[in-house]
Amino acid sequence: MKMSTTLLLSSLTLATSAVLAADQPVIGLITKTETNPFFVKMKEGAQVEAKKMGAKLLSAAGKADGDTAGQITAIENMVAAGAKTILITASGDAIGPTVKKVQAKGVQVIALDSPFEGADALFATDNYKAGVLIGQYAKAALGNKPARIAMLDLFPGHPVGAQRHNGFMTGFGLKANDAKSNELSKTAETVCAGDTDGNQAKGQTAMENCLQKNPDINVVYTINEPAAAGAYNALKKAGKEKGVLIVSVDGGCQGIRDTARGIITATSQQYPLKMAAMGVAAGVEYAKGGKKASGYTDTGVTLIASKAVAGVDSVDTKVGMDLCWGNK
């Protein structure tokens, strides 16, 4: 009799576990790469939030920034594995047809960090504002000197790259496209531009090329802090690191250390943990109540500067280190 009771209890436990597993929300997270500290921290944030909310998290990444084929494959695999919400930092609009196909099957698709056509919702930094902040800072820090600006961008056509680029130019007081445009603006002051893919080595190469074209560059805009580190290496190699303002976007811990050391003059800090947590919470809400997320949610941006300048609100690198992501 005891044996029968034990078997019955075991069967009930297994059955209950199966029901709980079947009811567990499955959420997919797809980032552009798995090596960039920004996306590493985003994944960590999603894992923590998923565990807290009782969800199962699937994760994948492209081989490199721009690998839309890899992201498309990841979307299809995750939906096949039961994901009802996909969170994605899209490498481009080429994922659109696949997104539309899975949405037709009842899957919610949320964009994190990088907007794309067709997403149900977007949780992201206001990248145009991030650009405006570092543009304002660079203009104030440069003073009355004539500007000779190098623009170290992401790659053509990406909305995040365009918004930061055009926002910087607007903040600097130059004529530029608005936040809806994916075209990179240029003026006489922007004497050189190069694509970096947000990569340090490519940032260094782009800066070396710019110095060959114009050795008197005094302001360097960079898409992110790895590109900024590459630009600094090129300037130092050429003996031109002093007197050149380098501004950037991201706010990772290494970037804030570089700002404290004067390698980067100022950076706009964004918050990948918040994006990921909000995305997972929206996925759980959809799984449990059927309510989809919609619209755009600004996850915040703060200007971190090595030295404050008059007329531009910023916080110091100590605050930046308290808020940064990556290895402290």
Side-chain angles (χ1 to χ4, degrees):
M1 186 67 179
K2 288 183 179 179
M3 181 64 72
S4 298
T5 302
T6 301
L7 287 171
L8 178 60
L9 288 172
S10 297
S11 297
L12 286 171
T13 300
L14 288 170
T16 302
S17 297
V19 170
L20 288 173
D23 290 342
Q24 184 182 37
V26 180
I27 297 169
L29 172 68
I30 304 168
T31 54
K32 293 178 184 177
T33 73
E34 59 183 7
T35 55
N36 186 313
F38 182 87
F39 300 125
V40 170
K41 186 53 63 174
M42 182 178 282
K43 180 179 175 180
E44 289 176 6
Q47 289 170 331
V48 170
E49 191 70 13
K51 183 177 181 180
K52 185 173 77 175
M53 301 194 75
K56 179 180 180 180
L57 184 74
L58 308 176
S59 62
K63 293 179 181 178
D65 204 327
D67 179 17
T68 53
Q71 291 194 322
I72 288 169
T73 298
I75 292 170
E76 293 170 340
N77 290 343
M78 287 179 176
V79 172
K84 291 300 182 184
T85 292
I86 301 290
L87 312 174
I88 184 166
T89 61
S91 283
D93 285 332
I95 67 169
T98 302
V99 167
K100 189 174 182 180
K101 182 173 68 175
V102 301
Q103 285 171 326
K105 297 178 180 179
V107 177
Q108 173 179 234
V109 181
I110 296 174
L112 302 183
D113 181 55
S114 301
F116 66 90
E117 191 69 32
D120 290 304
L122 169 66
F123 299 132
T125 306
D126 183 337
N127 284 293
Y128 199 84
K129 179 181 177 181
V132 167
L133 290 174
I134 57 173
Q136 290 173 337
Y137 184 94
K139 177 65 174 177
L142 186 65
N144 295 323
K145 299 175 186 176
R148 293 178 291 275
I149 306 169
M151 305 292 293
L152 302 194
D153 295 304
L154 187 58
F155 53 79
H158 197 285
V160 169
Q163 288 165 15
R164 293 181 186 179
H165 174 114
N166 293 328
F168 164 82
M169 291 183 64
T170 298
F172 202 90
L174 304 175
K175 186 176 181 180
N177 296 326
D178 63 23
K180 295 178 181 178
S181 175
N182 288 345
E183 296 295 321
L184 303 179
S185 304
K186 59 182 180 179
T187 64
E189 291 84 358
T190 54
V191 298
C192 184
D195 296 333
T196 70
D197 293 346
N199 176 283
Q200 181 170 330
K202 290 183 179 180
Q204 181 168 338
T205 299
M207 191 69 232
E208 288 169 350
N209 292 339
C210 281
L211 287 172
Q212 288 179 1
K213 294 178 182 178
N214 193 316
D216 297 323
I217 287 166
N218 54 11
V219 177
V220 182
Y221 154 86
T222 61
I223 182 66
N224 67 2
E225 291 153 2
Y232 178 82
N233 288 343
L235 287 162
K236 188 173 183 180
K237 185 179 175 182
K240 294 181 176 293
E241 74 274 20
K242 294 182 180 179
V244 178
L245 302 171
I246 301 177
V247 292
S248 196
V249 177
D250 254 358
C253 295
Q254 184 57 52
I256 300 302
R257 280 192 288 269
D258 285 347
T259 305
R261 293 167 58 198
I263 291 172
I264 298 172
T265 313
T267 190
S268 286
Q269 187 172 62
Q270 51 181 347
Y271 304 104
L273 278 170
K274 187 174 181 180
M275 296 177 201
M278 291 181 72
V280 170
V284 172
E285 183 176 14
Y286 177 56
K288 293 185 174 180
K291 182 182 178 182
K292 284 187 176 181
S294 62
Y296 165 59
T297 301
D298 182 357
T299 53
V301 62
T302 305
L303 182 67
I304 313 294
S306 56
K307 183 172 67 174
V309 295
V312 182
D313 289 336
S314 65
V315 299
D316 61 26
T317 54
K318 184 180 183 303
V319 175
M321 283 302 296
D322 289 339
L323 299 173
C324 73
W325 38 267
N327 294 325
K328 291 193 178 185

